[in-house]
Amino acid sequence: MTEPVLRSRVFRGLPPHPAGLRVGLYGGSFNPAHAGHRHVSLLALRRLSLDQVWWLVTPGNPLKMTGGLPPQRERMAQAAAVARHPRIAVTGLEAEIGTRFTADLVAWLAERLPLVRFVWIMGSDNLCQFDRWERFEAIAGTVPLAVVNRPGSLAAPLAARAAHRLARWRIPEAESHVLADLAPPAWVYLTGPRTRLSSTAVRSSTSPPRIVAS
């Protein structure tokens, strides 16, 4: 008997959000979504004791060139096919509320959904440039942060300007399961198996992803 193909649900706005839900927010262009995004999400679900991860498919990253970016609806549909997990939801919320800035998004969520416990998930490569994000300290003061290691030097992200600014609020990795319960600022650096796959690599190559040990 053929098993049904799983597909994550797609939401134009907010996915279901009962009080007390523990949600990881994973934002990006997802151009395209790939196995690396799924890998990070499953790691976060497990290590952070989350109920769900929401893939926030942005209308366009303010720090990147957006010319030639496929329509958001196409990227969301492709992301749902890649995510294929009942606890990963795909949403176009940023476009719905009219922002491209994470600071505005997390402030909007914190104000309207005060009983949902959010965690912002990012790769360690983003920590290296986090200080360039619009109002990055406001983001860290609104939601806890989970930084997932990516291939390359483990030391470089932790030497970044933003990491130094937030150093006193970093919790031990062994306590990552309580991150969603902590009042921000609070963050954790998660290490584990890594994938070299990136959206840029997918667009330029058909090579399969490679997982490397930490």
Side-chain angles (χ1 to χ4, degrees), residues 34-53:
H34 53 73
H37 293 125
R38 190 175 191 271
H39 167 74
V40 168
S41 300
L42 296 181
L43 184 147
L45 281 167
R46 182 177 71 256
R47 299 279 296 279
L48 303 176
S49 297
L50 300 176
D51 298 307
Q52 293 183 13
V53 171

Side-chain angles (χ1 to χ4, degrees), residues 16 18 43 57 59 63 65 70 89 94 96 103 111 128 149 151 159-160 167 186 193 205:
L43 184 147
V57 181
L63 295 179
M65 298 293 291
E94 284 183 284
E96 283 297 293
E111 179 181 352
C128 291
N149 69 315
S205 173

Side-chain angles (χ1 to χ4, degrees), residues 15-142:
H17 47 274
L21 198 70
R22 301 160 66 91
V23 177
L25 302 171
Y26 194 14
S29 300
F30 294 95
N31 180 35
H34 53 73
H37 293 125
R38 190 175 191 271
H39 167 74
V40 168
S41 300
L42 296 181
L43 184 147
L45 281 167
R46 182 177 71 256
R47 299 279 296 279
L48 303 176
S49 297
L50 300 176
D51 298 307
Q52 293 183 13
V53 171
W54 294 356
W55 286 10
L56 298 150
V57 181
T58 179
N61 187 330
L63 295 179
K64 295 181 179 180
M65 298 293 291
T66 57
L69 189 66
Q72 185 188 41
R73 180 176 296 182
E74 290 181 14
R75 287 179 284 127
M76 289 171 64
Q78 188 266 342
V82 170
R84 63 183 194 283
H85 196 283
R87 291 167 61 194
I88 300 176
V90 178
T91 172
L93 183 60
E94 284 183 284
E96 283 297 293
I97 66 175
T99 186
R100 294 188 178 192
F101 295 108
T102 300
D104 294 334
L105 174 67
V106 296
W108 189 93
L109 288 168
E111 179 181 352
R112 288 162 178 79
L113 306 178
L115 299 181
V116 176
R117 301 171 188 174
F118 291 111
V119 172
W120 185 265
I121 301 167
M122 70 170 76
S124 57
D125 51 334
N126 277 314
L127 181 60
C128 291
Q129 61 170 350
F130 188 43
D131 62 295
R132 295 176 55 203
W133 291 24
E134 181 81 8
R135 306 190 306 280
F136 82 96
E137 289 179 318
I139 298 170
T142 303

